[in-house]
């Protein structure tokens, strides 16, 4: 590599600390005022000939997009953990390295999942709506009752970094933690959680079910009408992972029928325009795919992406490489 400052692109404006670092350590166009889509980032890449491109889900690179990247590009650094927007095998086949930003967003994603759990159980969306309308009458002893979180049984699907962090938080609420994962954790990492090899066996025992896994490679949902039916009546579903994991029509039916007491959702099949039927449900607490949306975490994500660029240029191993 050249000893001069590396040329990079970013598809979105990064946080202030990262933008200042770019000004000092890199050569880059001015930050975009709005996120660049794939066509815009490819056009700019051919004009600017960067060694690395920092992307988010706004600018997916798949199939023909990968083939269209200029030869100058040696790294695609996604400012995310998820890789749904990248054709990683195609990028690696072209000799283009890929990096992501794991670990630094674990705690904030787990915090948000706990917020969804508590808000869904305690009818936060309905309480907020009532207050915004002015309240106006005292509630009866049996009116608008939620469910206690403390002591409930929490089922976790996907016991990776974030799933384990949610389990640690759940223990603060004296919850009984069950989990289903591709493989059982080392007992030292289970910290009292009970492993279920069969998801079908775990679901009937869950008061609350929380999802913390990537989208299925097949693209189909794992939470179907059949799976929802296995949950006890009056249970709660939380999804802070990927919208594609849940059959939303089945979810809507379960919420309308009362089979599910409520849901806490941060992700949806059609983002940023969720199904209007979900938006209309009173017993859903919703956030806009904001699991990592804190100053601390987003700054750390930006800096880690830039650390990968710096390592590439220096000929050192990437801090967080993605492999096939």
């Amino acid at each position: 590599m050249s000893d001069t400052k590396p040329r990079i692109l970013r598809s979105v404006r990064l946080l202030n600390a990262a933008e200042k670092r770019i000004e000092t350590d890199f050569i880059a166009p001015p930050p975009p005022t709005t996120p660049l889509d794939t066509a815009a980032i490819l056009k700019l890449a051919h004009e600017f000939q960067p060694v690395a491109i920092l992307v988010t889900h706004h600018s997916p690179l798949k199939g023909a997009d990968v083939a269209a990247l200029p030869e100058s590009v040696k790294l695609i650094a996604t400012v995310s953990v998820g890789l749904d927007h990248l054709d990683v095998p195609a990028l690696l086949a072209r000799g283009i390295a890929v990096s992501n930003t794991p670990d630094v967003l674990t705690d904030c994603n787990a915090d948000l999942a706990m917020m969804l759990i508590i808000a869904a159980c305690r009818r936060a969306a309905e309480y907020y709506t009532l207050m915004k309308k002015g309240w106006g009458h005292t509630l009866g002893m049996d009116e608008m009752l939620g469910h206690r979180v403390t002591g409930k049984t929490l089922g976790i699907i996907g016991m990776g970094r974030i799933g384990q962090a949610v389990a640690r938080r759940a223990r603060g609420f004296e919850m009984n933690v069950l989990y289903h994962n591709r493989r059982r954790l080392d007992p030292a990492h289970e910290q009292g959680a009970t492993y279920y090899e069969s998801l079908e066996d775990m679901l009937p025992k869950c008061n609350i079910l929380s999802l913390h896994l990537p989208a299925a490679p097949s693209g189909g949902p794992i939470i179907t009408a059949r799976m929802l039916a296995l949950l006890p009546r009056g249970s709660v579903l939380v999804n802070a992972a990927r919208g594609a994991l849940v059959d939303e029509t089945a979810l809507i039916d379960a919420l309308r029928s009362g089979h599910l007491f409520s849901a806490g959702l941060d992700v949806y099949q059609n983002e940023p325009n969720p199904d209007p039927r979900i938006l209309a449900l009173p017993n859903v607490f919703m956030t806009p795919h904001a699991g990592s949306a804190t100053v601390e975490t987003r700054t750390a994500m930006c800096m880690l992406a830039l650390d990968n660029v710096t390592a590439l240029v220096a000929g050192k191993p990437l801090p967080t490489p993605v492999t096939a």
Side-chain angles (χ1 to χ4, degrees):
M1 297 288 180
S2 169
D3 291 334
T4 60
K5 294 180 181 179
R7 300 168 71 85
I8 67 170
L9 297 179
R10 69 279 209 205
S11 63
V12 296
R13 180 182 177 85
L14 305 181
L15 272 73
N16 287 341
E19 288 294 341
K20 290 179 181 178
R21 181 176 172 185
I22 289 174
E23 290 179 11
T24 302
D25 298 340
F26 302 91
I27 299 173
T33 55
T34 58
L36 302 179
D37 62 15
T38 302
I41 204 73
L42 287 174
K43 180 176 183 295
L44 192 56
H46 280 275
E47 295 170 354
F48 196 74
Q49 295 292 305
V51 68
I53 304 176
L54 278 65
V55 300
T56 65
H57 67 279
H58 297 99
S59 48
L61 295 171
K62 296 186 175 183
D65 306 323
V66 174
L69 288 166
E71 292 295 327
S72 66
V73 177
K74 304 302 179 186
L75 171 66
I76 297 296
T78 182
V79 191
S80 67
V81 172
L83 301 164
D84 301 356
H85 54 296
L86 299 180
D87 187 339
V88 174
L91 287 163
L92 297 179
R94 271 206 60 184
I96 299 173
V98 180
S99 67
N100 64 345
T101 59
D103 298 321
V104 294
L105 47 66
T106 296
D107 284 331
C108 280
N109 273 273
D111 289 349
L112 183 113
M114 284 305 302
M115 180 179 81
L116 294 175
I117 289 170
I118 296 167
C121 288
R122 293 300 304 270
R123 301 178 73 156
E126 294 168 271
Y127 291 165
Y128 181 76
T129 299
L130 177 64
M131 295 306 298
K132 292 296 285 185
K133 289 180 177 179
W135 191 7
H137 69 281
T138 58
L139 298 178
M141 283 289 292
D142 61 350
E143 190 176 357
M144 292 190 75
L145 302 184
H147 286 292
R148 181 174 61 189
V149 174
T150 300
K152 291 296 189 293
T153 295
L154 171 66
I156 295 174
I157 305 180
M159 201 64 151
R161 299 178 186 91
I162 297 173
Q164 291 178 52
V166 171
R168 289 195 296 272
R169 285 154 175 77
R171 292 185 192 100
F173 287 85
E174 301 174 4
M175 299 179 81
N176 176 36
V177 179
L178 317 177
Y179 77 98
H180 170 74
N181 205 40
R182 286 179 297 177
R183 62 184 67 88
R184 183 173 182 174
L185 299 179
D186 183 283
H189 294 139
E190 287 184 327
Q191 298 186 13
T194 302
Y195 173 65
Y196 279 80
E197 183 177 0
S198 166
L199 178 58
E200 289 86 348
D201 289 344
M202 183 182 82
L203 293 179
K205 298 176 174 62
C206 301
N207 303 124
I208 303 162
L209 181 67
S210 192
L211 311 182
H212 300 286
L213 69 163
S218 66
I222 63 167
I223 302 302
T224 60
R226 184 175 75 86
M227 292 299 183
L228 289 171
L230 292 174
L231 288 167
R233 185 171 181 85
S235 55
V236 172
L237 175 71
V238 167
N239 187 7
R242 285 291 181 268
L245 294 170
V246 177
D247 178 336
E248 290 186 343
T249 295
L251 173 63
I252 291 164
D253 289 343
L255 288 163
R256 284 176 173 171
S257 71
H259 183 73
L260 287 182
F261 175 74
S262 60
L265 305 176
D266 185 51
V267 291
Y268 313 88
Q269 286 189 359
N270 187 32
E271 297 181 8
N273 299 296
D275 190 321
R277 297 176 298 167
I278 296 177
L279 298 175
L281 289 169
N283 54 340
V284 182
F285 183 86
M286 292 171 278
T287 51
H289 202 149
S292 65
T294 65
V295 173
E296 297 87 350
T297 290
R298 291 281 172 86
T299 298
M301 292 167 68
C302 295
M303 290 301 197
L304 182 52
L306 291 173
D307 289 345
N308 278 281
V309 179
T310 299
L312 176 88
V313 173
K316 297 179 180 178
L318 301 184
T320 52
V322 175
T323 57

